[in-house]
Amino acid sequence: MKVLITGGYGFIGSFVAERFYKEGYEIYIIDNLSTGNKQNIDFNHKSYVLAVEDRKCEEIFRSNRFDTVVHLAAQVNVKISVEDPILDSKSNILGLSNMLTLSQKYNVNKFIFASSAAVYGNNDEIPLPESADCDPISPYGINKWLGETYCKKWKELYGLDTLCFRFSNVYGPRQGSVGEGGVISIFMERVMKGKELVVYGDGGQSRDFIFVEDVADAIYRSSYSTLSGVYNLSTSTENSVNDLISALRSMHGPVTIVNAEQRQSDIYRSKLDNSRISFDLDWVHKYTFEQGIAKTYDWFLQQHYLQEQKRVKQSKPHRFSKLTPIIRTMMPFAENVFVFGITAWFSLQLKVSLSDFIDIRVIYIILLGILYGNRQSMLAVGMSTALYMYEQLNNGRELISLFYDPDFFFHLAVYLFIGLVVGYAVERKNTTLESKKQEFETLSEKHEFLTEVFKETRQVKEELQQQIMNNGDSFGKIYSVIKELESLEPEKIFTSTVSVVESLMKSQAVTIYTVNKYGSYLRLLAKSNSTHFEAGKSIKVEDSPYIQTLLEEKKLFVNKSLQGGIPLLAAPVINQGKVVAVISVYSMKFENFTLYHQNLYKIMIDLISSSLSRALSYVEATSNQRYMDGMPVLKPEVFADILASKQLANVKHGVEYMLLTPVDTFDFSDDMPQKVSKFLRETDYLGMSKEGKLVVLLSNSSQEEASFVLNRFEQNGIYMRMVEEEFSYA
């Protein structure tokens, strides 16, 4: 399964991505990084640094075919929306329109849009239900409200399944200091830095704060639900600024408060009613305000500690870091002079001469040559020669005589030789080291490049492996889809079958016909709910040669000649050696009309037959428990389950049904139920409601067809009427 999260590097988006990733989804993120941070995501995902209004986004949709799109990317700063409405509209309207268009074009199953409590504006109603008047007071709120309208119209015009969540004030780790709910992150940052907290007014302003992980959980769970429309996403509780300060004091200790004049534009109280999402999604928030604040505080405390460690590390002085380049250049010369001074002191001040054992000037030359190379070693040679000459002159020798003294030239030659050899050796060593260092850096870059190539190759391999595992035709996918057929109620199996066949065969033209007990007629039970596909409500077997062949041979029918007016594939559903239904596919992509898909279809029909046989066997074995004593009338709980299946088929596949009930009350002692059951088709049901009414369920019947049945009943002395209202259990 693939999910695209716009704004996935942001505060809420990163938690949503994390939740889907833990559930085994492939994560794709579009984010222009205007407020998001890539460091918020530390797991494998596919990244696209783009604005949601960019036309390049189409290539992303074309290449990946997403199952779900969660649209969180937005300009969330209310102040900026007021100062620059065009910028706000560009992201929040044009970006949304682009995502909706691409989702519809590339068959996204679910589109989830992040709206906001800002759509309500200054509304004094507490708590605010979804039906409350919307009167936004900022361009940000206006554009969120328009975004909900866009989602609604895309569902009406194009059939895109859309869901809008009006977030209350979301808070938690990774939150910045801008946008809605920012008071918590602002206070956290100021507390960590030891700054005072600015409270506007008396601090009694309340908000409906919801922890970010609860938001991510609701978004994930709604992605595979049937929910659509607009829902509040909140805790339906109020917490004031003073409550927040108290929570911070309990964790951090004393904090300084500075009171300021209350801002006129601020809403004093805010709380959203979450009863609809709680009931429809069976969802409740996991974290209390205190628990969420504690987790948020721990995260901010850890981030503050890491920042302090980084700051201290960066502030440590490096060797010579305060020296200017000129001074650093002169340092070797200064050190040379310093060492020469020590050498001169040893040579001139020691009473015992060391010349009989070792010349200390030679050690000085070698040392400087090793430390600094040829330049300083030759300088050391010159200074050592000068020191030797000074010593000789200090002993009473004439300067001119030194140039005739072989011993002087011997010392000079030794100094020069040692200086050149050591300097050259060290220079060569340094040159070799520099060369090796450059070679090492080159190899390191090459290694890093090859490592990246390896990682990308490994990633592509894993993605291909996941694609194989998640492919619509893989055994894992077949198994997950067939699990929809795990029911002991035949009606539920037939209702689920259409979705199963549509998913595996990638077709929106699927029908299920039941076969009457004489094998002469087929009655439509369910079909794909597509505006471009129509199917007859009944088929006469003698008028359809392919049906005759299929019923006789009980084998898969393949329309190899591509004859018009009949399905491309049709297969019998068999129970106890008898064909009880026919499942047909009328259209599919040409590239899918292959032997592989024919075999896939046959395997699928065998699995459906197996599920149906099990359900029919169960119905037969429990028939005495399903019907009221001595009457062909289903018990209320059994009839309620069948009616629920019909309602689901009506919603998902547009299959009609009608309910009839007697005009007058009747006594169970008479034979009215037996009379009614004689005129019902095999696909119709007679049951009892919880109110004690006899109810007839006409499968796949319109109001006009129900009128025909009523006339037939009336001709036989049975007076019934259509039921316009739903029964309480429906």
Side-chain angles (χ1 to χ4, degrees):
M1 301 285 284
K2 296 181 179 181
V3 59
L4 171 66
I5 303 170
T6 67
Y9 291 126
F11 160 49
I12 299 176
S14 60
F15 279 94
V16 172
E18 192 174 86
R19 179 59 197 274
F20 275 93
Y21 178 77
K22 289 179 179 178
E23 298 295 339
Y25 280 68
E26 294 180 53
I27 308 300
Y28 296 78
I29 290 175
I30 294 178
D31 200 314
N32 64 359
L33 300 181
S34 58
T35 57
N37 188 344
K38 280 194 172 184
Q39 294 181 356
N40 287 338
I41 303 292
D42 59 358
F43 48 81
N44 186 35
H45 66 285
K46 195 71 174 178
S47 172
Y48 302 97
V49 181
L50 277 176
V52 286
E53 64 270 17
D54 198 313
R55 291 185 177 181
K56 296 188 185 76
C57 292
E58 180 164 7
E59 188 58 40
I60 300 172
F61 277 79
R62 182 186 295 113
S63 303
N64 296 291
R65 306 287 175 168
F66 302 111
D67 298 284
T68 302
V69 172
V70 181
H71 183 58
L72 300 170
Q75 193 294 114
V76 297
N77 193 310
V78 177
K79 183 179 179 181
I80 290 178
S81 77
V82 174
E83 295 173 351
D84 192 349
I86 295 177
L87 174 64
D88 191 82
S89 299
K90 182 179 180 182
S91 175
N92 293 349
I93 296 299
L94 295 182
L96 170 63
S97 176
N98 192 33
M99 291 297 104
L100 283 169
T101 300
L102 295 176
S103 297
Q104 175 267 326
K105 183 176 181 179
Y106 293 99
N107 301 317
V108 170
N109 295 331
K110 193 84 169 184
F111 185 92
I112 301 175
F113 171 60
S115 186
S116 167
V119 301
Y120 294 115
N122 284 315
N123 195 321
D124 296 331
E125 187 176 353
I126 298 293
L128 282 164
E130 290 86 349
S131 58
D133 292 337
C134 292
D135 187 17
I137 58 176
S138 67
Y140 170 76
I142 294 171
N143 286 332
K144 285 296 184 183
W145 192 22
L146 285 173
E148 294 177 3
T149 305
Y150 268 79
C151 291
K152 177 183 176 182
K153 292 303 177 182
W154 247 257
K155 181 176 178 63
E156 294 175 358
L157 296 173
Y158 307 111
L160 176 64
D161 190 5
T162 60
L163 174 63
C164 305
F165 281 124
R166 291 174 179 170
F167 294 161
S168 61
N169 294 70
V170 186
Y171 72 97
R174 307 175 195 160
Q175 186 179 23
S177 57
V178 297
E180 298 174 289
V183 62
I184 292 180
S185 59
I186 291 172
F187 276 18
M188 290 286 181
E189 290 179 358
R190 296 186 71 86
V191 162
M192 296 302 163
K193 296 176 181 178
K195 297 181 179 180
E196 71 277 0
L197 304 182
V198 180
V199 177
Y200 297 94
D202 59 2
Q205 302 95 320
S206 67
R207 293 293 183 268
D208 189 341
F209 293 108
I210 181 170
F211 192 60
V212 64
E213 289 186 24
D214 287 327
V215 172
D217 176 62
I219 290 175
Y220 165 72
R221 291 178 58 185
S222 67
S223 67
Y224 55 83
S225 72
T226 58
L227 264 62
S228 63
V230 178
Y231 285 86
N232 287 336
L233 189 54
S234 68
T235 61
S236 200
T237 57
E238 287 183 81
N239 290 101
S240 67
V241 175
N242 291 331
D243 294 334
L244 172 59
I245 293 173
S246 297
L248 287 173
R249 281 174 173 160
S250 66
M251 294 179 291
H252 188 78
V255 295
T256 304
I257 306 299
V258 175
N259 288 97
E261 185 178 352
Q262 184 171 340
R263 293 177 293 197
Q264 296 299 320
S265 60
D266 281 355
I267 300 171
Y268 195 78
R269 293 183 63 195
S270 176
K271 182 170 75 170
L272 303 187
D273 182 4
N274 69 357
S275 57
R276 284 189 65 234
I277 187 67
S278 298
F279 179 80
D280 292 351
L281 191 61
D282 192 23
W283 171 89
V284 292
H285 64 278
K286 177 181 177 183
Y287 294 93
T288 64
F289 179 71
E290 291 74 16
Q291 292 171 334
I293 290 295
K295 290 196 70 172
T296 306
Y297 177 83
D298 290 341
W299 184 85
F300 274 91
L301 185 63
Q302 182 183 15
Q303 294 301 306
H304 178 70
Y305 173 77
L306 293 175
Q307 289 175 4
E308 284 296 309
Q309 291 291 103
K310 184 178 180 180
R311 185 184 63 81
V312 171
K313 184 177 180 181
Q314 290 177 345
S315 65
K316 287 182 179 179
H318 189 269
R319 187 187 180 191
F320 305 142
S321 61
K322 295 183 179 181
L323 299 178
T324 63
I326 297 177
I327 295 177
R328 285 197 294 270
T329 303
M330 296 302 297
M331 279 300 296
F333 295 95
E335 291 181 359
N336 195 336
V337 172
F338 175 75
V339 176
F340 173 74
I342 295 175
T343 303
W345 183 81
F346 270 102
S347 298
L348 298 175
Q349 298 298 325
L350 290 181
K351 295 180 179 179
V352 180
S353 176
L354 299 175
S355 59
D356 294 337
F357 304 98
I358 189 170
D359 190 343
I360 194 170
R361 291 178 290 272
V362 173
I363 298 176
Y364 160 63
I365 295 171
I366 294 173
L367 179 62
L368 267 295
I370 292 174
L371 289 175
Y372 295 109
N374 195 50
R375 178 180 296 181
Q376 296 300 323
S377 69
M378 295 311 297
L379 179 60
V381 168
M383 295 175 72
S384 295
T385 302
L387 178 61
Y388 177 76
M389 293 174 65
Y390 176 78
E391 289 178 352
Q392 296 299 316
L393 295 174
N394 196 40
N395 291 331
R397 303 226 12 213
E398 295 290 337
L399 178 62
I400 193 68
S401 65
L402 292 177
F403 294 100
Y404 295 97
D405 187 358
D407 192 48
F408 169 74
F409 286 104
F410 174 76
H411 279 83
L412 181 60
V414 169
Y415 296 159
L416 188 60
F417 175 77
I418 292 175
L420 288 172
V421 170
V422 173
Y424 172 77
V426 171
E427 286 290 334
R428 184 173 181 182
K429 180 206 70 171
N430 291 339
T431 302
T432 303
L433 286 176
E434 186 66 26
S435 175
K436 293 297 182 183
K437 182 180 179 181
Q438 292 179 355
E439 184 179 350
F440 175 76
E441 291 177 352
T442 302
L443 291 174
S444 296
E445 292 177 359
K446 188 175 181 180
H447 177 265
E448 185 177 353
F449 171 75
L450 292 175
T451 301
E452 287 297 321
V453 171
F454 171 76
K455 288 181 179 179
E456 290 181 2
T457 305
R458 184 73 176 266
Q459 182 178 350
V460 170
K461 175 188 173 184
E462 292 176 354
E463 288 178 354
L464 289 173
Q465 194 171 18
Q466 286 296 321
Q467 288 176 7
I468 293 173
M469 293 299 295
N470 294 327
N471 187 276
D473 303 331
S474 69
F475 288 110
K477 183 66 175 180
I478 293 174
Y479 173 76
S480 65
V481 172
I482 294 302
K483 280 184 70 67
E484 295 184 30
L485 304 175
E486 290 185 354
S487 174
L488 295 176
E489 183 57 58
E491 283 292 336
K492 291 183 179 180
I493 292 176
F494 281 126
T495 301
S496 300
T497 295
V498 174
S499 300
V500 170
V501 177
E502 287 177 346
S503 176
L504 289 180
M505 303 308 294
K506 301 178 179 64
S507 173
Q508 293 298 313
V510 177
T511 63
I512 302 177
Y513 285 90
T514 55
V515 183
N516 70 346
K517 60 183 178 181
Y518 305 107
S520 57
Y521 275 90
L522 272 64
R523 184 76 179 174
L524 181 65
L525 186 66
K527 71 177 186 67
S528 295
N529 191 12
S530 174
T531 57
H532 305 291
F533 174 62
E534 294 292 335
K537 292 195 172 183
S538 63
I539 299 176
K540 195 173 183 180
V541 173
E542 64 182 18
D543 295 337
S544 303
Y546 84 94
I547 293 290
Q548 296 178 15
T549 304
L550 187 145
L551 295 179
E552 292 172 1
E553 298 180 357
K554 300 177 183 178
K555 294 181 180 180
L556 174 70
F557 167 77
V558 181
N559 187 0
K560 296 181 179 180
S561 61
L562 301 180
Q563 180 182 345
I566 63 174
L568 294 175
L569 296 172
V573 177
I574 301 173
N575 178 47
Q576 297 181 353
K578 183 180 179 182
V579 179
V580 295
V582 175
I583 302 175
S584 304
V585 177
Y586 281 80
S587 67
M588 57 194 302
K589 292 183 178 180
F590 183 77
E591 58 266 28
N592 292 338
F593 192 55
T594 61
L595 182 61
Y596 169 79
H597 282 82
Q598 294 171 23
N599 291 331
L600 177 66
Y601 188 68
K602 184 178 183 302
I603 293 172
M604 179 175 53
I605 297 300
D606 290 342
L607 290 171
I608 293 171
S609 296
S610 177
S611 297
L612 186 62
S613 295
R614 183 174 65 252
L616 292 173
S617 298
Y618 171 79
V619 169
E620 183 179 354
T622 60
S623 59
N624 60 329
Q625 301 174 13
R626 293 169 60 87
Y627 291 89
M628 301 186 68
D629 294 337
M631 290 186 295
V633 180
L634 293 169
K635 291 182 177 180
E637 60 272 17
V638 178
F639 187 75
D641 287 340
I642 294 174
L643 180 56
S645 298
K646 293 295 184 182
Q647 290 173 328
L648 180 61
N650 178 261
V651 173
K652 294 178 65 175
H653 309 301
V655 179
E656 297 175 300
Y657 69 92
M658 293 298 299
L659 297 175
L660 308 178
T661 190
V663 174
D664 301 316
T665 57
F666 68 97
D667 190 349
F668 281 97
S669 60
D670 62 27
D671 59 349
M672 185 176 182
Q674 286 78 5
K675 290 181 180 179
V676 172
S677 64
K678 292 179 181 179
F679 296 98
L680 297 181
R681 300 165 301 186
E682 294 174 338
T683 56
D684 298 332
Y685 296 90
L686 179 63
M688 184 64 62
S689 72
K690 289 185 178 180
E691 293 84 357
K693 294 182 179 180
L694 190 69
V695 184
V696 174
L697 193 159
L698 302 179
S699 300
N700 196 25
S701 297
S702 63
Q703 190 170 354
E704 182 180 352
E705 292 170 317
S707 298
F708 175 81
V709 175
L710 287 175
N711 291 333
R712 186 172 59 183
F713 279 153
E714 188 174 344
Q715 293 171 4
N716 290 274
I718 302 172
Y719 299 94
M720 307 193 80
R721 61 180 177 85
M722 298 182 195
V723 179
E724 297 181 357
E725 73 279 3
E726 295 180 344
F727 291 101
S728 60
Y729 57 74

